[in-house]
């Protein structure tokens, strides 16, 4: 990262504030940083160092009946084996907020963008995502139902092995969001153009694509049934 990007991620008042690390990183040249990264990767490969839960990680700690309002620090903590139920995220952007095996139930996400926050083995039920863009946020093995996306653009947010029912995308354009091995039902796209988002082995049932032009997004092995396409021109798809 450039120095201004380091300030944004690790500087004062940021989600990952770490002044000591910031000072050290800024004192290193680009070749020194590259060598440090390669050294760390090598040490991990030879088990000289290992990953451990950080002090603020949420592990085996269910979260219930909580409202996270203007609280980016809390929602940016990795959450592992910790169900989240009957909570809300409002005006709380997240970065590095990884979710692993932590089901969500009735958790509205409102004006809370998420970046670099992959989700794995994490079912979702009744989780409306409203005015909350997602970037570099893949969903893997995350089945869900009744999770509407409204005014929430997606960039590199693929759905892989994450079947959805009653999960419409409304005014939600997306790019680089392939749908792979991911059946969909009753999940229409409305006013949601998309590009570079192929559908692979992901049949769709009883759904529609309405006023949603798309490009470079072919469908392979994804026939399904009762799919209506209305006023949605395609290009190279």
């Amino acid at each position: 990262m450039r120095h201004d990007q380091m300030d944004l991620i690790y500087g004062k008042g940021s989600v990952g504030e770490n002044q000591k690390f910031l000072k050290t990183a800024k004192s290193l040249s680009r070749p020194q940083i590259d060598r440090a990264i390669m050294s760390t990767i090598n040490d991990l490969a030879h088990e000289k160092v290992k990953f451990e839960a950080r002090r603020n990680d949420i592990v085996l700690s269910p979260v219930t009946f909580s409202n996270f309002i203007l609280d980016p620090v809390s929602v940016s903590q990795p959450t592992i084996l910790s169900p989240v139920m009957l909570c809300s995220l409002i005006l709380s952007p997240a970065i590095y907020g990884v979710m692993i095996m932590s089901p969500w139930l009735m958790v509205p996400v409102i004006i809370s963008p998420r970046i670099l926050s992959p989700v794995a083995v994490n079912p979702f039920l009744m989780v409306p995502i409203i005015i909350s863009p997602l970037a570099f946020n893949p969903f893997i093995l995350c089945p869900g139902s009744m999770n509407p996306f409204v005014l929430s653009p997606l960039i590199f947010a693929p759905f892989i092995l994450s079947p959805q029912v009653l999960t419409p995308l409304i005014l939600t354009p997306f790019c680089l969001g392939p749908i792979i091995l991911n059946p969909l039902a009753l999940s229409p796209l409305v006013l949601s153009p998309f590009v570079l988002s192929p559908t692979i082995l992901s049949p769709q049932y009883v759904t529609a694509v309405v006023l949603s032009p798309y490009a470079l997004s072919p469908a392979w092995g994804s026939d399904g049934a009762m799919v209506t396409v209305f006023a949605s021109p395609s290009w190279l798809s």
Side-chain angles (χ1 to χ4, degrees):
M1 290 185 287
R2 301 189 307 269
H3 285 183
D4 60 322
Q5 293 171 326
M6 292 180 186
D7 288 331
L8 179 64
I9 302 301
Y10 300 109
K12 186 175 181 181
S14 66
V15 171
E17 182 175 350
N18 189 331
Q19 295 293 334
K20 182 178 179 180
F21 171 80
L22 184 63
K23 183 178 179 180
T24 301
K26 283 186 172 182
S27 68
L28 298 174
S29 66
R30 172 52 58 185
Q32 288 174 315
I33 291 174
D34 292 340
R35 285 196 295 272
I37 292 171
M38 294 307 297
S39 177
T40 300
I41 293 172
N42 184 66
D43 288 345
L44 286 169
H46 292 87
E47 298 184 351
K48 293 180 180 179
V49 297
K50 61 181 180 178
F51 289 114
E52 295 181 349
R54 297 178 302 178
R55 177 174 57 85
N56 293 324
D57 288 355
I58 301 172
V59 181
L60 292 171
S61 301
V63 182
T64 59
F65 302 102
S66 299
N67 295 314
F68 298 92
I69 302 173
L70 291 169
D71 190 0
V73 174
S74 295
V75 301
S76 294
Q77 304 307 321
T79 305
I80 303 168
L81 290 168
S82 302
V84 181
M85 297 176 285
L86 299 169
C87 298
S88 62
L89 277 65
I90 302 172
L91 292 167
S92 298
I95 183 169
Y96 302 139
V98 178
M99 304 287 299
I100 300 175
M101 299 183 72
S102 301
W104 282 25
L105 171 64
M106 298 183 68
V107 183
V109 180
I110 303 171
I111 318 180
S112 298
R114 299 181 69 84
I115 183 171
L116 294 168
S117 302
V119 184
V121 198
N122 212 96
F124 289 87
L125 178 63
M126 300 179 68
V127 180
I129 298 176
I130 301 170
I131 318 179
S132 299
L134 306 179
F136 300 96
N137 203 111
F139 295 87
I140 303 170
L141 287 167
C142 298
S145 180
M146 293 182 283
N147 305 313
F149 287 73
V150 181
L151 285 166
S152 300
L154 309 174
I155 299 176
F156 193 70
F159 281 78
I160 302 170
L161 289 167
S162 301
Q164 299 290 316
V165 178
L166 289 167
T167 299
L169 271 65
I170 302 170
L171 289 166
T172 297
F174 57 97
C175 175
L176 293 170
I179 300 173
I180 303 171
L181 295 167
N182 201 98
L184 299 169
L186 299 166
S187 301
L189 271 66
V190 181
L191 290 165
S192 300
F194 57 97
V195 65
L196 292 170
S197 300
T199 303
I200 302 171
L201 298 174
S202 302
Q204 301 185 39
Y205 301 95
V206 195
T207 190
V209 180
V210 180
L211 295 167
S212 300
Y214 56 99
L216 299 168
S217 302
W220 292 309
S222 305
D223 295 334
M226 300 182 67
V227 178
T228 300
V229 179
F230 175 77
S232 300
S234 64
W235 181 67
L236 294 178
S237 298

